[in-house]
Amino acid sequence: DGGITQSPKYLFRKEGQNVTLSCEQNLNHDAMYWYRQDPGQGLRLIYYSQIVNDFQKGDIAEGYSVSREKKESFPLTVTSAQKNPTAFYLCASSRGKTGNTIYFGEGSWLTVV
Amino acid sequence: GQQVMQIPQYQHVQEGEDFTTYCNSSTTLSNIQWYKQRPGGHPVFLIQLVKSGEVKKQKRLTFQFGEAKKNSSLHITATQTTDVGTYFCAGGALTSGTYKYIFGTGTRLKVLA
C-alpha cells in the first residue's frame, strides 16, 4: 500500500536525551513536513522540505533538527534543547506543488518522563 | 507572519442539528483545504477550494471560500455521530518566497446522540 509510515508510534524519553522519529513515504512526493500537535490544539509546523537535501524551518523549529538525504525519508530529531517535547508528532507529504493534498502519517506520541 | 484562526474552538450539538466552523486568514490565500481528524487519529483530507467565492458540496457537507480569499467555512447539515472529530482548515500561500500551508487552530465537534 502507498502511504506514509511513522515509527515508533509511542516513545518515552528521559529528559536530556535526544530522540529521532522516523518518517518514510512511498508516494513519490517531493514535499515532506513535520507538525506538532498538543492535546486539544491545532497543528504547528516544525520543519518542511520541498526537495532532497533542502529544508526550511517552520514556526516552531527551535529544539528540533531534520535531514532529507533521500526523497522517501524525512527523520525528525527532538533534541534536549526542546523544553516541552511531550506531544503528538505528525509527518506529512505532498507532491509539493500548489494545491496538492497533504497526506499524513498516523503520528508518533512522544512522552518525556 | 501569516495566521489562520478558526471559530469556534469547540462545538457540541445534538444529533440532527447543523454545525458550522469558520476559518479566517490574516493574508490572502492561494487556496484552502479542509481536513478532518477523528479522535486518536490523523488528519484526513476532505476538500480543496481554489476560486474566489467557490462553493463545493460533499453529501451533507458544504464548503465555501470567501470572495477575498481570506476566509472559508464548513457547514454540516443534520449532524450524525460519525461527524465527531476536529475539523481543520489549511490555508495555502506564498510565504517568504516559499509555498506552504498554515493550519487553522481547529474546531472540535461533539455530537450527542
Side-chain angles (χ1 to χ4, degrees):
Chain A
D1 283 350
I4 302 173
T5 303
Q6 286 187 241
S7 62
K9 189 167 179 67
Y10 300 96
L11 185 62
F12 295 88
R13 187 197 91 174
K14 292 183 179 180
E15 282 193 24
Q17 287 182 337
N18 292 354
V19 63
T20 296
L21 307 180
S22 169
C23 179
E24 303 279 331
Q25 54 101 355
N26 60 5
L27 300 168
N28 199 32
H29 285 171
D30 288 314
M32 296 188 75
Y33 315 82
W34 274 104
Y35 290 91
R36 170 180 170 145
Q37 185 174 34
D38 293 282
Q41 302 295 314
L43 304 173
R44 293 186 290 169
L45 183 63
I46 305 172
Y47 269 97
Y48 62 105
S49 167
Q50 297 191 322
I51 56 172
V52 175
N53 291 323
D54 186 47
F55 48 84
Q56 287 82 39
K57 293 182 179 180
D59 301 317
I60 55 166
E62 185 175 352
Y64 300 98
S65 66
V66 293
S67 63
R68 186 86 187 276
E69 297 176 1
K70 298 187 298 182
K71 187 175 185 178
E72 315 81 67
S73 178
F74 192 41
L76 173 74
T77 297
V78 185
T79 74
S80 56
Q82 169 51 234
K83 298 306 178 188
N84 297 296
T86 296
F88 186 48
Y89 291 88
L90 285 159
C91 179
S93 71
S94 73
R95 289 212 306 248
K97 298 179 182 177
T98 303
N100 285 133
T101 302
I102 300 174
Y103 294 87
F104 286 86
E106 295 193 349
S108 294
W109 287 94
L110 173 63
T111 303
V112 174
V113 297
Chain B
Q2 180 191 5
Q3 291 186 328
V4 178
M5 302 298 293
Q6 275 183 259
I7 56 170
Q9 188 175 5
Y10 302 97
Q11 185 82 58
H12 294 185
V13 299
Q14 286 291 137
E15 189 173 21
E17 291 182 341
D18 292 356
F19 159 76
T20 304
T21 173
Y22 300 91
C23 180
N24 294 288
S25 170
S26 59
T27 59
T28 302
L29 301 169
S30 297
N31 57 50
I32 195 157
Q33 297 179 348
W34 284 91
Y35 292 79
K36 177 183 178 180
Q37 183 177 24
R38 294 183 184 275
H42 59 278
V44 175
F45 175 79
L46 292 176
I47 208 161
Q48 174 175 276
L49 304 169
V50 178
K51 300 176 183 176
S52 170
E54 188 171 12
V55 178
K56 286 188 176 181
K57 291 191 176 184
Q58 285 181 350
K59 297 182 181 179
R60 295 179 294 105
L61 278 60
T62 302
F63 303 84
Q64 292 188 321
F65 200 11
E67 293 290 341
K69 300 184 76 172
K70 295 180 72 173
N71 55 70
S72 180
S73 66
L74 158 60
H75 179 82
I76 302 178
T77 303
T79 55
Q80 300 174 358
T81 54
T82 52
D83 296 325
V84 165
T86 301
Y87 293 86
F88 292 99
C89 62
L94 270 173
T95 304
S96 302
T98 303
Y99 190 89
K100 64 179 183 181
Y101 284 96
I102 300 296
F103 277 77
T105 45
T107 296
R108 186 184 295 180
L109 172 64
K110 286 193 176 181
V111 180
L112 307 174

